Amino acid sequence: MAADGLHCLRCDWVPGLLRSHERCGTGVCRVNQSPRIVSGFLGLVLNLAYAMKMEIRPLLMCFALCVVYATSKPTEKKDRVHHEAPLSSKEHDDGTNFDYDHDAFLGEDGAKTFDDLTPEESKNRLGKIVNKIDADEDGFVTEAELKAWIKKAQKKYIYDNVERQWKDFDMNNDGTISWDEYKNVTYGTYLDDPESDDGYNYKQMMARDERRFKMADENGDHIADKEEFTAFLHPEEYEHMKDIVVLETMEDIDKNGDGFIDLEEYIGDMYNHEDEMDEPEWVATEREQFSEFRDKNKDGKMDKEETMDWILPADYDHAEAEAKHLVYESDTNKDGKLTKEEILNKYDLFVGSQATDFGEALVRHDEF
């Protein structure tokens, strides 16, 4: 991520132009101007032309066409629905192997680190993990604690993203991020002219960000710790942030400002029906979806509750199901909770050890 280019400080997305994007739900990207380097895709074109001593005019014509193509609304369907990701790409079949359970318990990347371990090494590492799962330190791992651990393992990419961005915003290195720090880093020079003539209302953007920041700041001290900042960057992952996700979505789609999403606004958010071409089949399907399923009270528009049901559906809770499964398979005394001994006795279910399956323990005998 080049310091002189355009990039989003929320999701590390690097666009060719400063424009709204979907990955993190914001239109605010940081722009660091440099007198020596033209940023973005245009800079790439010009620098390449200079390096290859090529004519600039043809390349600029090509760039202009690329801009038209990139900024035009695609005919592919835009999906605003936040689905719960599966715990593993593997099939859940304990009769064959425990690969699904390993991915669910450790995350796919974490599970790979156990592939070449001996049973002794696997148990040793698993024992340390059990200590972390036992949040109340009562010597037992409950279904709720196991569910929380699985969810955390599956959201590792989110926490990694927050860690990458943390140093950009924690300017005084005090371990927290204040609203002022975030505002200054994100908007910089735009603070002096929040209503600039580039088509973006930065004053409105700041107000929207501040509202979300306050919602994430649960103790109301105007300072975000790591967890609160994670909720700010990824509100769809937190129960107490769901209202702000719905509100921001409705503000984006509700063009007439009546506080609802009607059919035309719903379709218009997904598809540019002003183009002189036949509508794709999926557009007709979405019209039916709106009338039959989205608009539950049949008043011709979606309110807040209906919008929440649409973009934040009550999906099947994979983490809860997996936690129940692991407890059921490991709870030898059937008291509804697991001791460390019960978990270690079923280590192959939780983390596995492929060394024994492939005879690798014998190959690596000199290491233990």
Side-chain angles (χ1 to χ4, degrees), residues 175-218:
T176 61
I177 295 173
S178 67
W179 164 247
D180 285 338
E181 283 178 313
Y182 176 82
K183 178 178 64 176
N184 291 331
V185 171
T186 303
Y187 296 97
T189 57
Y190 296 116
L191 292 172
D192 298 328
D193 185 19
E195 297 182 3
S196 60
D197 57 359
D198 63 359
Y200 293 91
N201 188 333
Y202 295 100
K203 184 176 182 180
Q204 185 177 15
M205 290 179 178
M206 281 189 287
R208 178 164 161 154
D209 267 359
E210 185 173 15
R211 181 182 62 190
R212 186 195 281 198
F213 193 94
K214 289 179 178 179
M215 182 73 74
D217 177 24
E218 290 194 279

Side-chain angles (χ1 to χ4, degrees), residues 118-314:
T118 66
E120 291 76 13
E121 291 170 326
S122 287
K123 290 180 180 180
N124 182 51
R125 287 197 189 184
L126 178 58
K128 295 177 180 178
I129 292 175
V130 172
N131 294 336
K132 296 179 181 179
I133 300 175
D134 181 16
D136 59 8
E137 299 180 348
D138 65 348
F140 297 96
V141 171
T142 64
E143 186 179 295
E145 289 173 329
L146 200 50
K147 174 184 173 180
W149 170 265
I150 292 172
K151 281 189 173 292
K152 184 176 181 179
Q154 293 301 315
K155 304 302 181 184
K156 184 177 182 297
Y157 73 96
I158 290 178
Y159 293 106
D160 288 346
N161 173 263
V162 173
E163 287 294 336
R164 285 195 302 270
Q165 299 186 48
W166 186 263
K167 61 181 181 297
D168 291 328
F169 293 102
D170 184 13
M171 303 303 293
N172 60 5
N173 297 314
D174 67 346
T176 61
I177 295 173
S178 67
W179 164 247
D180 285 338
E181 283 178 313
Y182 176 82
K183 178 178 64 176
N184 291 331
V185 171
T186 303
Y187 296 97
T189 57
Y190 296 116
L191 292 172
D192 298 328
D193 185 19
E195 297 182 3
S196 60
D197 57 359
D198 63 359
Y200 293 91
N201 188 333
Y202 295 100
K203 184 176 182 180
Q204 185 177 15
M205 290 179 178
M206 281 189 287
R208 178 164 161 154
D209 267 359
E210 185 173 15
R211 181 182 62 190
R212 186 195 281 198
F213 193 94
K214 289 179 178 179
M215 182 73 74
D217 177 24
E218 290 194 279
N219 62 6
D221 62 357
H222 306 291
I223 296 174
D225 59 21
K226 194 69 68 72
E227 192 67 17
E228 289 171 330
F229 193 62
T230 303
F232 171 69
L233 294 181
H234 301 275
E236 71 282 353
E237 302 294 337
Y238 290 81
E239 189 67 32
H240 71 282
M241 297 293 290
K242 287 186 175 181
D243 284 344
I244 203 72
V245 175
V246 173
L247 178 59
E248 290 178 358
T249 301
M250 294 189 74
E251 288 175 345
D252 289 341
I253 303 176
D254 176 23
K255 301 304 181 184
N256 62 14
D258 65 350
F260 299 91
I261 298 175
D262 60 35
L263 176 59
E264 292 308 309
E265 290 169 334
Y266 174 79
I267 296 298
D269 181 60
M270 303 179 183
Y271 173 68
N272 184 5
H273 49 74
E274 295 177 357
D275 292 341
E276 295 181 0
M277 62 176 63
D278 294 335
E279 287 186 348
E281 291 184 8
W282 65 260
V283 176
T285 301
E286 282 299 333
R287 292 184 187 277
E288 295 178 5
Q289 289 284 322
F290 182 92
S291 300
E292 296 181 16
F293 303 105
R294 311 280 186 242
D295 178 21
K296 299 182 186 300
N297 60 9
K298 308 304 178 185
D299 64 352
K301 53 193 177 184
M302 288 195 297
D303 56 24
K304 177 183 174 182
E305 288 71 25
E306 290 167 329
T307 302
M308 179 174 288
D309 289 342
W310 167 41
I311 65 172
L312 296 169

Side-chain angles (χ1 to χ4, degrees), residues 4 33-39 43 47:
D4 295 282
Q33 300 290 351
S34 168
R36 299 184 305 276
I37 300 177
V38 182
S39 63
N47 291 332

Side-chain angles (χ1 to χ4, degrees), residues 14-175:
V14 182
L17 298 168
L18 179 63
R19 55 194 293 265
S20 181
H21 51 95
E22 303 305 321
R23 187 176 302 178
C24 66
T26 179
V28 181
C29 290
R30 183 182 180 188
V31 182
N32 290 327
Q33 300 290 351
S34 168
R36 299 184 305 276
I37 300 177
V38 182
S39 63
F41 181 58
L42 177 58
L44 177 63
V45 172
L46 295 178
N47 291 332
L48 180 63
Y50 177 79
M52 300 181 66
K53 295 181 172 57
M54 296 174 64
E55 286 290 334
I56 298 296
R57 183 175 298 177
L59 283 175
L60 288 180
M61 289 293 291
C62 176
F63 169 72
L65 291 174
C66 289
V67 170
V68 172
Y69 176 80
T71 56
S72 62
K73 203 164 188 177
T75 58
E76 293 183 1
K77 178 182 174 182
K78 179 195 296 183
D79 190 4
R80 287 186 177 268
V81 181
H82 299 278
H83 291 291
E84 186 74 21
L87 301 183
S88 172
S89 59
K90 302 179 179 68
E91 183 180 356
H92 195 176
D93 183 7
D94 287 356
T96 303
N97 57 58
F98 298 127
D99 290 347
Y100 179 96
D101 301 299
H102 300 166
D103 288 352
F105 184 69
L106 298 165
E108 291 197 26
D109 290 338
K112 293 176 183 177
T113 65
F114 280 79
D115 284 351
D116 297 330
L117 300 183
T118 66
E120 291 76 13
E121 291 170 326
S122 287
K123 290 180 180 180
N124 182 51
R125 287 197 189 184
L126 178 58
K128 295 177 180 178
I129 292 175
V130 172
N131 294 336
K132 296 179 181 179
I133 300 175
D134 181 16
D136 59 8
E137 299 180 348
D138 65 348
F140 297 96
V141 171
T142 64
E143 186 179 295
E145 289 173 329
L146 200 50
K147 174 184 173 180
W149 170 265
I150 292 172
K151 281 189 173 292
K152 184 176 181 179
Q154 293 301 315
K155 304 302 181 184
K156 184 177 182 297
Y157 73 96
I158 290 178
Y159 293 106
D160 288 346
N161 173 263
V162 173
E163 287 294 336
R164 285 195 302 270
Q165 299 186 48
W166 186 263
K167 61 181 181 297
D168 291 328
F169 293 102
D170 184 13
M171 303 303 293
N172 60 5
N173 297 314
D174 67 346

